Amino acid sequence: MELSHNESSTLSRIGDRSSSDVVVRIRTQEGRDDWIYCHSDILVKKSKYFADRLSDNWPTCQILDSRNCVEVYCEECDFDHHITVLRLLYATSDVTVTELSSVKNALGTLRVAVELGCPQIVSTCVGYLEAVPWEESEEEEILKTIPGMGSQAEPILARLQPVNALAVVRIFLAAIRFATSSPPSSMNDLKTSAQEQLEYMLTEDDDAPLLTADDEIKLEARQCVNRLLARFVNLVDSLLGDLHDSVAEAENVELLQSHLTDLSWASQIVTKLEISNDFVYTWVETSVNIVKVAERVSPESSLTGTKLKVLEVTAKVLEAIGYGTVILPTTRRLHMVKVWLPFVRIVKSAVDSVGSDEENDLMLKSDGELWQTLESAFVSIILTLPSSDQAEILTEWLENKHIRYPDLTEAFEVWCYRSKVAKRRLALLDGNNPTTNGV
């Protein structure tokens, strides 16, 4: 078989039948069978496998076409890579990127070079694979292949090795400072990417979180989020005075939505880091002004923008209060129900009335998770209030035209049961109290 060879060569050329003294026969189970006319001095010098096969210590040596023959059986997928390795054994200069051509070819060539004991080709393939970018599928193939090749191939995996904890902390802190810095809108894509990666670092999925936050990390994260909250509160305060000015409104509503998007993300981060208190306290104290601003924004942006962004953050805050993640006194819990329950009703009713031709709003309309979260949080908070406050809220709900949402049926049922058995329950408690029995 005559193979082309465009590198500079020694006096011997692969495939030169007239000067060859050995035939390498590459065979597969599928029936492929190629004879490559080679030269034993080159094979022995550059391949431990061929050196062993052509040595006097090898028990038998086949003869083919009046030459020593070395049969090499391989998988079909590695057939071409064996040809490549044989060709590269004849190269008199360093193998170039063009010859390896791709990660797939380099990986296959490396695999065969390791099997045939060709250290120079192994070194070249390792250098290539260590330096070039990989596609995701190529990375998975590398992870399957390289670990079994020993220390000679370890440099390829350098980019996949875990980094030390200090490096993780440094990049986390740098990222959260940037992600909460409210950069110009031209940098929104960069900011969003940083936010996504920060959340990913803290998420437990098939793998443990990349970062375990200590007190120092939590303090820095809390300060970053608090600065973001402060900018948001200042903007809300300024909008209360500027909304009569259409120019100021147009300039600031977009900024408001950007802050709300950041705060929706930040609410996830503070929950994961268990530092929700400041976030919740600030939102509670600013709730009245937030509702005023959200109710007065221009109609064209109210549904697809500001109001729903506001509710995304509010849902997280109400969840934290309703499930006891953040402890608030009765007056503040009651305050949150009275401020947000009417607003949520109005927005939900408006979303439900959106026409079927409005595609963007339809996507929001179909997002039931937000509404379910808000409803469950309201029920949980209401059931923590004194009975008289519950009665007032439930009466208003039963008389309201928006009775369908939020559905407070569960709270109503629990209130009815508690109220009906209250005297009996408390009487039993009094009867079991030693003080009331004169003891």
Side-chain angles (χ1 to χ4, degrees), residues 208-246:
L210 185 57
L211 180 81
T212 301
D214 57 20
D215 290 342
E216 182 179 356
I217 294 171
K218 290 182 178 181
L219 175 61
E220 179 68 26
R222 183 163 55 245
Q223 290 173 345
C224 288
V225 173
N226 284 349
R227 287 192 289 269
L228 174 60
L229 282 165
R231 289 193 294 275
F232 171 74
V233 171
N234 289 338
L235 179 60
V236 167
D237 291 342
S238 68
L239 280 170
L240 285 175
D242 291 342
L243 279 177
H244 65 279
D245 183 343
S246 60

Side-chain angles (χ1 to χ4, degrees), residues 131-149:
V132 299
W134 308 333
E135 299 290 342
E136 184 177 352
S137 59
E138 294 169 342
E139 187 168 309
E140 293 301 319
E141 189 63 28
I142 284 170
L143 282 170
K144 293 177 184 176
T145 305
I146 299 302
M149 293 184 178

Side-chain angles (χ1 to χ4, degrees), residues 53-54 58-63 68-69:
R53 289 292 302 268
L54 294 170
W58 197 261
T60 60
C61 186
Q62 292 182 320
I63 302 298
N68 290 332
C69 174

